[in-house]
Amino acid sequence: MSSSTSPQESVRRQNLGALLRYIHVRGATSRAELTSRLGLNRSTIGALTADLATAGLVDEGVPHETGRAGRPSIVVRPRSSRVYGYALSLELDRLRAARVGLGGKVLDGRTAERPPGPDPAPTIAALAGFVADMQRTAPTDAVLVGSGLAVSTSVRHHLGWADETIESELAHGLAALRPRLGPSAGPFLGGIADLAALAEHTRGAATGADNVIYLHGDAGISAGIIAGGRRITGYGGHGGEVGHMVVNPSGRLCGCGSRGCWETEIGERALLHLAGRPVPTPGAAVTAAVHAARSGDPDASAAVAHAADWLGFGVANLVNIFNPTVVVFGGTLRELYLTGADHVHNRLFTMALPACRAHVALHTPQLGDDAPLVGAAELAFESLLSDPLFAGRP
């Protein structure tokens, strides 16, 4: 935004952003509701929606039959088919990509196993190939506003790929699309847990909660933290490494070099080791072990009980520190929580301060495995939502 922008124009841009963001999150909304929720008068709402419609960002029309007497309020809808971004997810065992329309509607998607080996080039090429393939099916008059990428912490640590390498290689791989993207289009990177937290906070299990912890399990354990409605990502985006919170100083040696990290008690390898099972494809083996515990397998049952108890131990500490109103268990921790919820609640009741535990709700992801992709899409749309008509779009 130019420093010479007048105060009136600055307010107008802010209002445009607030209105488009509301429609992006809530979907089709009547002008009457927008007037009430945004605190603006009807004529202002009418002018703003007209500007957004002229820009091709929204459509306006009469609602479906309401059953009420009187003239119905005009409904404003996001133009999901015309305005879109790309959401990508780089996980330890797989790659995913989606073309997501304004309003959060998934328009197209791709999934494949991650290419093996330590070289990031084949992985980046596969992600770029997904995007190029989906781009061929996109309407020619549609507007591409950006891209976001969710990266597993396990990829960062186990493969040693630096964010800067991933970002620069992916930007190079998407270079053919950049003339259509504009100057602030990414790709924007975030951790899987961080972006899943953003997604669940925006559209899922934590909607309306300003203090949220999303715990994600795969080969490691990470957290997405939202405090006061804002993401806490730490310096360089590497915050939330709760898997390396030491909970048992006399416990197992961790891959990070420390001993007794939370990951060594609740992580995939720890659970499968206790259950006497091998460690094949990430995620699937944990689900199998949890299902075996539910079926009465004694070794699996003991392993799940042990891990769930330590899950509750760590959650109680996080609740005392951050005082969230919602904790969400994603990835491999979803199944562990669902099976061992009694152990988790018992630890929370005995360890968390009454003032902190009284209001906290424990959930699994409403958006399921798609939460990181949905969060990556939110990164892709952020510059547009912040300044809808002046975001450098073509």
Side-chain angles (χ1 to χ4, degrees), residues 60-65 72-75 77:
E60 296 185 279
V62 296
H64 299 298
E65 182 62 43
S73 178
I74 295 295
V75 169
R77 300 178 177 86

Side-chain angles (χ1 to χ4, degrees), residues 36-104:
S36 172
R37 294 294 185 180
L38 300 182
L40 301 171
N41 61 48
R42 287 190 300 173
S43 61
T44 299
I45 290 294
L48 294 174
T49 56
D51 286 342
L52 294 177
T54 299
L57 300 174
V58 303
D59 285 321
E60 296 185 279
V62 296
H64 299 298
E65 182 62 43
T66 63
R68 297 179 180 178
R71 184 178 179 181
S73 178
I74 295 295
V75 169
V76 186
R77 300 178 177 86
R79 291 201 63 182
S80 301
S81 61
R82 185 184 181 277
V83 184
Y84 66 94
Y86 283 111
L88 311 172
S89 182
L90 199 176
E91 303 166 31
L92 192 60
D93 62 328
R94 65 178 177 176
L95 306 175
R96 293 190 291 163
R99 185 163 63 89
V100 182
L102 185 66

Side-chain angles (χ1 to χ4, degrees), residues 211-277:
N211 297 281
V212 180
I213 295 177
Y214 183 104
L215 295 172
H216 179 82
D218 48 29
I221 306 296
S222 56
I225 300 167
I226 293 176
R230 295 179 176 272
R231 294 158 55 212
I232 298 179
T233 58
Y235 179 75
H238 288 267
E241 293 287 356
V242 295
H244 298 287
M245 173 175 63
V246 175
V247 296
N248 184 8
S250 60
R252 300 181 187 85
L253 186 66
C254 181
C256 73
S258 186
R259 185 175 292 277
C261 292
W262 199 22
E263 186 174 300
T264 66
E265 301 291 352
I266 69 169
E268 177 186 70
R269 289 183 175 275
L271 177 61
L272 296 177
H273 173 76
L274 290 170
R277 292 169 175 262

